[in-house]
Amino acid sequence: MSAATIDVKSLPTPSVAVNPWLIAIVVALASFMEVLDTTIANVALPYIAGGMGVSEDEASWVVTSYLVSNAIILTASSFLAKMLGRKTFFLICLGIFTVSSILCGFAPNLNALLLFRILQGLGGGGMVPVAQSILADAFPPAKRGQAFAVFGIAVVVAPVVGPTLGGWLSDNLSWHWCFLINAPVGLFATIAIAAVLREPAKTKGAQQDAQTDNTFDFIGFALVATFLGALEVTLDRGLEDDWFGSSFIVASAAICAAAFVLMIPWEMTRRNPMIDLRMVATRQFGASFLVMLATGAILLATTQFLPQLVQQDFGYTATWAGLVLSPGGVVTMLMMFVVGRLAAKVQPKYLIIVGALVIAASMYSMTNVYGDLGFWFMARSRMLIGVGLPLIFIPIMTASYDGIPAGKTDQASALINAARNTGGSIGVSLVSNVLTHRQQFHQSRLVEQVTPSSPQYQDTLHQVTDYFVAQGNALAQAHQQAVQWIGQQVQTQASFLSYMDAFWVLMLIALSAIPLALTLRKIKLGGPAPVGH
């Protein structure tokens, strides 16, 4: 048996013949809905803030609370799935997610909304790590790669669809529907999964594993959950709260660091640790973990800041800002199936290198952003990212399980999911800081050139003043409008320059995956697909 595959004999088979593609569709649908909620509320934050009478800074906790609770439940999902059974655990998580989504839609105030978002994150975060294991039970080895491609569409395309759907719902209905839309989908998925999914019968080896691994590492769970939760809070709230100028961020970072320092020796010395840190220290899985961090950073950072760019500097509505991402989502969906076939013939390291170069090229093209660019320039850039992401995502999943024992695929799943989520938070935080500080830098440099005594300034001022006079304004008013227009242009140019810097950073992050990919060893191609996500 290849180290990258699971012994077919060790996998249980469904007791009742059910079309595996039906299982794949309903499981992927539930996972799509969960991942969608990581970004669907991003463009709705101004509406939420206005509707509840709070600042956008306070409303941004709607996103933070979901990410934190999502990160916390990831580490316990493997144990709970073994204890309750995959089907039961999946249905419980789906039920919690659906009910809490409805409660979010009817939340009377911000505190209630944050509480329900935490519950939603706990329910949703438990679904994704076990979804692919469910698919592995439903499909024969020869077809598992295609099933995982369907699942990959849910994980990669959902963050792209989120802003589009959230923007349209917020513009045309209300922000409440960003959450209420989960109700019919969740109800349908719950009924469908309950009807078509069968709990696989445990093999003798699996029963022995369950008996030896039935102890829950409470201390390890607390340390890992505290570390991930505090890290998410620190990264997501750092910029808004002035980083270490805020006592809250200092406390959050201190808690994060303390939990991390205590977590390492504790988990390294446990027989059944909550997470197996030794896997991260290995060459193959460690490199895969870091590449997934970079992938998560690029995926979520571009998903959040490309719509922000076109809204702030190009005047797009929330709906049109989301539509900028839509063509890229279609390309990603198609590429998932293409890469699914390529992954059986080409070593993962080479696909990852090509994907990193494609994404880097897309980021490089965006470093030339300026005010006259149209919709399709932005859309083409996102489509290029849509080509590159599957070339990294599917191969890195294949490479990450090479050498992982069958009994530890759930551990690998939790760690890879944590890498994607944490990488996304790191990417968003990093780009936010680049935009803020570089915009201040560029604005101060541009202001130095805008001196009233310079001939260029006076010439521009006269031309713009004449324009406003021609529009029917009095001379004094036109002069004031011209001064304001020049100031606005300085701010806009500073914004463009800061986005250029941000895209340079994302390009470097994409290129960092290349040396990591070169460290990956060759794996046996064409065998059964790995179990876990």
Side-chain angles (χ1 to χ4, degrees):
M1 179 181 70
S2 169
T5 61
I6 305 303
D7 187 358
V8 178
K9 296 180 180 179
S10 67
L11 290 170
T13 56
S15 56
V16 179
V18 178
N19 188 332
W21 285 109
L22 185 59
I23 296 175
I25 291 172
V26 294
V27 169
L29 177 65
S31 301
F32 180 90
M33 181 176 63
E34 189 277 325
V35 180
L36 181 78
D37 269 61
T38 61
T39 59
I40 193 172
N42 287 354
V43 295
L45 291 180
Y47 294 91
I48 294 174
M52 292 193 162
V54 299
S55 67
E56 285 194 39
D57 179 58
E58 292 175 297
S60 66
W61 277 101
V62 171
V63 176
T64 305
S65 58
Y66 184 84
L67 292 174
V68 171
S69 58
N70 215 277
I72 288 174
I73 196 62
L74 276 175
T75 55
S77 59
S78 174
F79 175 84
L80 293 174
K82 290 179 181 178
M83 182 179 71
L84 299 173
R86 288 175 184 164
K87 177 182 177 180
T88 303
F89 177 64
F90 196 90
L91 286 173
I92 290 174
C93 289
L94 183 54
I96 293 173
F97 180 87
T98 304
V99 172
S100 58
S101 295
I102 298 172
L103 294 174
C104 285
F106 291 105
N109 53 57
L110 182 63
N111 290 333
L113 178 58
L114 295 180
L115 174 62
F116 299 145
R117 277 290 275 179
I118 290 172
L119 292 175
Q120 190 186 36
L122 291 174
M127 290 193 292
V128 176
V130 299
Q132 201 165 2
S133 296
I134 292 175
L135 294 180
D137 285 342
F139 280 81
K143 294 186 178 181
R144 284 183 189 136
Q146 299 174 35
F148 296 154
V150 173
F151 182 80
I153 291 173
V155 173
V156 176
V157 176
V160 177
V161 175
T164 306
L165 182 60
W168 187 88
L169 291 172
S170 299
D171 284 342
N172 295 278
L173 298 174
S174 74
W175 66 264
H176 303 82
W177 281 99
C178 293
F179 305 110
L180 293 177
I181 196 173
N182 291 331
V185 180
L187 181 61
F188 170 78
T190 301
I191 295 173
I193 289 173
V196 305
L197 195 60
R198 299 291 181 267
E199 193 70 64
K202 291 185 178 180
T203 62
K204 183 177 180 180
Q207 292 174 346
Q208 291 175 348
D209 291 340
Q211 292 174 356
T212 57
D213 297 343
N214 60 356
T215 56
F216 185 73
D217 182 13
F218 284 102
I219 295 179
F221 171 71
L223 290 173
V224 174
T226 302
F227 164 65
L228 289 176
L231 179 62
E232 292 281 359
V233 170
T234 302
L235 292 173
D236 197 64
R237 302 297 305 176
L239 184 63
E240 289 83 355
D241 295 343
D242 193 28
W243 289 104
F244 296 107
S246 163
S247 58
F248 173 76
I249 295 299
V250 170
S252 177
I255 292 172
C256 176
F260 180 74
V261 170
L262 295 173
M263 174 187 72
I264 294 177
W266 178 268
E267 294 295 270
M268 293 290 285
T269 56
R270 297 304 100 186
R271 181 180 177 184
N272 298 312
M274 181 55 57
I275 60 171
D276 191 348
L277 295 177
R278 294 182 183 86
M279 284 196 297
V280 182
T282 62
R283 164 188 162 187
Q284 188 79 352
F285 190 85
S288 301
F289 184 89
L290 292 175
V291 173
M292 187 58 80
L293 274 175
T295 304
I298 294 168
L299 174 62
L300 288 190
T302 55
T303 300
Q304 177 160 331
F305 292 106
L306 190 55
Q308 179 178 300
L309 167 63
V310 296
Q311 282 180 287
Q312 288 181 350
D313 296 336
F314 291 87
Y316 284 33
T317 64
T319 300
W320 278 100
L323 287 173
V324 168
L325 305 179
S326 297
V330 175
V331 171
T332 300
M333 188 181 304
L334 297 175
M335 282 297 297
M336 277 291 181
F337 294 103
V338 174
V339 178
R341 293 182 176 275
L342 286 176
K345 302 176 181 179
V346 183
Q347 286 294 326
K349 65 166 65 177
Y350 303 123
L351 293 176
I352 293 169
I353 290 171
V354 173
L357 289 173
V358 170
I359 293 175
S362 173
M363 294 297 95
Y364 177 76
S365 70
M366 289 299 295
T367 61
N368 297 312
V369 63
Y370 59 92
D372 290 335
L373 294 176
F375 174 89
W376 283 107
F377 177 87
M378 305 295 179
R380 282 195 299 269
S381 173
R382 188 67 199 192
M383 291 167 71
L384 200 54
I385 296 176
V387 173
L389 281 174
L391 286 167
I392 297 179
F393 188 79
I394 292 179
I396 207 60
M397 288 174 59
T398 303
S400 63
Y401 292 104
D402 181 51
I404 301 297
K408 291 187 176 181
T409 53
D410 286 337
Q411 287 268 352
S413 170
L415 286 170
I416 288 295
N417 273 279
R420 178 171 51 83
N421 289 357
T422 304
S425 296
I426 293 173
V428 169
S429 177
L430 179 62
V431 173
S432 295
N433 280 275
V434 170
L435 290 175
T436 299
H437 295 295
R438 295 300 291 177
Q439 183 169 359
Q440 293 172 353
F441 170 81
H442 289 302
Q443 186 166 337
S444 64
R445 297 287 81 80
L446 290 172
V447 168
E448 292 174 357
Q449 307 302 318
V450 184
T451 56
S453 59
S454 69
Q456 295 86 351
Y457 178 87
Q458 289 297 325
D459 182 57
T460 302
L461 182 62
H462 289 152
Q463 291 184 31
V464 177
T465 300
D466 291 342
Y467 169 81
F468 284 117
V469 168
Q471 301 301 311
N473 297 294
L475 180 61
Q477 184 182 8
H479 182 272
Q480 185 62 33
Q481 288 175 321
V483 172
Q484 293 175 351
W485 181 87
I486 292 174
Q488 183 181 12
Q489 293 304 304
V490 169
Q491 292 180 346
T492 300
Q493 292 304 314
S495 177
F496 281 137
L497 291 169
S498 67
Y499 274 102
M500 290 179 187
D501 294 337
F503 289 124
W504 277 111
V505 171
L506 290 174
M507 185 191 76
L508 294 175
I509 291 175
L511 293 176
S512 70
I514 295 177
L516 290 170
L518 291 173
T519 66
L520 296 174
R521 60 176 175 263
K522 292 185 177 181
I523 67 171
K524 183 178 179 181
L525 300 173
V531 179
H533 169 56

